[in-house]
Amino acid sequence: MSTNTPFRILTVCTGNICRSPMAERLLQAGFDAMAPGEFTVESAGTGALVGSGIEPHVAGFVNVFGGDSANFVSRQLSADILAGQDLVLALTRGHRSKVVELAPGMLRRTFTLRELARLLPLVDGQDDVGPSERWTAAMSRALRLRTAHPAGPEEDDVVDPYRRSDETYGQMVRELTPAVDTLLNWERRYQ
């Protein structure tokens, strides 16, 4: 069921070369496979290495997990970028706070990736509406669950691997990919 207006998701990390582009590219590939044209996923960084491509280790992970790392260019998060988003997925609680500082009106549409992945399975979606309406309603329900199901940073944050060990890159993958899969599987139930 096409709504003609895609549901717009923004992923946010620090440099916009590791975590947020990986989440962006994996979410976009997954949504495109089940609902072409219904979702647009982009990313930005709170301290972006503007103009850079995806960090090479992360580009490899993106490609292995079915995304496309080509033609990526990092950009700085701004109020203008946030203005057009339906959902913002921050990679840490700190990024979530920065989003809300920049655009207080985004409070009800901003979660950490892992936080939403933890809450979304507790939400029943509507199968008689398009993805945009379904996700808008689901975010409202997930927001109400946020206080009933609190978690600490160890459950909500994805570790920053930049210039760190291979083990840290592996930890990032183990934290990020299951959360992406949870969001995609939730939507898949309604396709």
Side-chain angles (χ1 to χ4, degrees):
M1 175 184 301
S2 178
T3 58
N4 294 326
T5 302
F7 187 75
R8 297 193 52 180
I9 301 171
L10 182 74
T11 62
V12 176
C13 72
T14 305
N16 192 217
I17 60 168
C18 293
R19 296 168 289 176
S20 59
M22 183 167 175
E24 168 198 331
R25 294 301 172 100
L26 295 182
L27 284 168
Q28 189 70 67
F31 285 132
D32 283 351
M34 72 178 100
E38 296 288 347
F39 295 88
T40 299
V41 188
E42 299 176 329
S43 64
T46 60
L49 299 172
V50 175
S52 297
I54 297 177
E55 193 278 338
H57 289 86
V58 176
F61 291 132
V62 167
N63 296 329
V64 164
F65 286 104
D68 181 1
S69 65
N71 303 315
F72 178 84
V73 179
S74 65
R75 62 186 181 155
Q76 180 64 35
L77 181 67
S78 69
D80 287 344
I81 290 171
L82 288 167
Q85 303 304 321
D86 297 308
L87 170 62
V88 177
L89 297 171
L91 276 294
T92 69
R93 290 169 159 209
H95 298 128
R96 184 180 68 194
S97 294
K98 294 255 188 206
V99 167
V100 175
E101 283 174 28
L102 258 176
M106 294 301 296
L107 175 65
R108 302 180 74 72
R109 292 182 272 163
T110 303
F111 297 84
T112 72
L113 172 66
R114 292 178 74 197
E115 174 187 37
L116 188 58
R118 189 168 36 79
L119 299 173
L120 200 57
L122 305 174
V123 173
D124 288 326
Q126 298 171 266
D127 55 9
D128 58 342
V129 298
S132 187
E133 293 172 77
R134 178 171 32 259
W135 279 79
T136 299
M139 286 185 325
S140 178
R141 292 183 194 114
L143 191 62
R144 288 192 297 272
L145 291 170
R146 181 185 275 167
T147 54
H149 299 275
E154 66 282 351
E155 292 178 77
D156 283 347
D157 292 357
V158 174
V159 68
D160 185 356
Y162 186 58
R163 293 187 172 171
R164 296 179 70 190
S165 68
D166 287 345
E167 290 78 21
T168 307
Y169 279 91
Q171 180 183 347
M172 177 208 62
V173 169
R174 289 188 303 276
E175 293 172 351
L176 189 149
T177 55
V180 166
D181 289 345
T182 297
L183 270 57
L184 294 173
N185 287 334
W186 187 85
E187 175 60 24
R188 196 169 283 117
R189 295 183 349 200
Y190 304 102
Q191 292 297 311

